[in-house]
Amino acid sequence: MNKEDKWAESFRQASDEVSQWRKKQPKATFSNIENQVDENLARIRADMIQDLVAASELADFKRLPAKERPKCPVCGKPLASNGQQKRQLVTSHEQVVELARSKGYCAHCRVSYFPPG
């Protein structure tokens, strides 16, 4: 299943969950409904972010030529790939996203970075 189909299926499931929740909560307030919708959409949003970041060239940039690699934010030299490492980030909607990404290393400044993108 491609990522777009996966997202569509996740949205269908979230829609069904919200509809079922609403049937059980006929007197829910606007705020209650908004919170329930946001909780369901936050999971889909996190999955989309995770998938899109994983598809970035920068997820594994060791094969990129030096001129296309991320640059050190201090000296501007291309970063070397310091291997794939996992990290967890939390979205603005409190969802944990796990990313496997190249960690960059600047030999000149002797520092490591997870480049954005």
Side-chain angles (χ1 to χ4, degrees):
M1 176 183 301
N2 68 36
K3 65 181 176 269
E4 289 83 6
D5 290 341
K6 180 180 125 185
W7 299 339
E9 179 57 29
S10 293
F11 185 78
R12 277 190 290 280
Q13 287 175 354
S15 297
D16 289 345
E17 288 174 23
V18 169
S19 293
Q20 292 303 316
W21 174 87
R22 182 65 172 134
K23 287 176 186 174
K24 294 176 184 174
Q25 305 292 327
K27 295 183 180 182
T29 65
F30 179 89
S31 241
N32 297 139
I33 295 167
E34 181 180 29
N35 289 337
Q36 188 65 33
V37 169
D38 284 347
E39 283 179 29
N40 280 273
L41 291 180
R43 291 192 308 263
I44 297 166
R45 187 176 175 277
D47 287 344
M48 292 176 80
I49 291 168
Q50 187 167 304
D51 291 345
L52 291 167
V53 170
S56 167
E57 289 185 327
L58 298 181
D60 187 9
F61 63 79
K62 69 182 170 203
R63 292 183 183 92
L64 291 177
K67 67 180 181 175
E68 293 179 29
R69 289 184 180 195
K71 308 290 186 256
C72 173
V74 176
C75 71
K77 294 185 182 202
L79 297 174
S81 175
N82 201 10
Q84 288 274 307
Q85 296 186 16
K86 288 186 179 181
R87 70 189 292 210
Q88 289 186 337
L89 300 171
V90 179
T91 70
S92 58
H93 289 277
E94 304 300 320
Q95 298 294 306
V96 175
V97 175
E98 186 167 280
L99 306 174
R101 303 204 21 102
S102 287
K103 189 170 189 179
Y105 177 74
C106 178
H108 181 260
C109 297
R110 297 179 187 235
V111 292
S112 293
Y113 298 99
F114 278 106

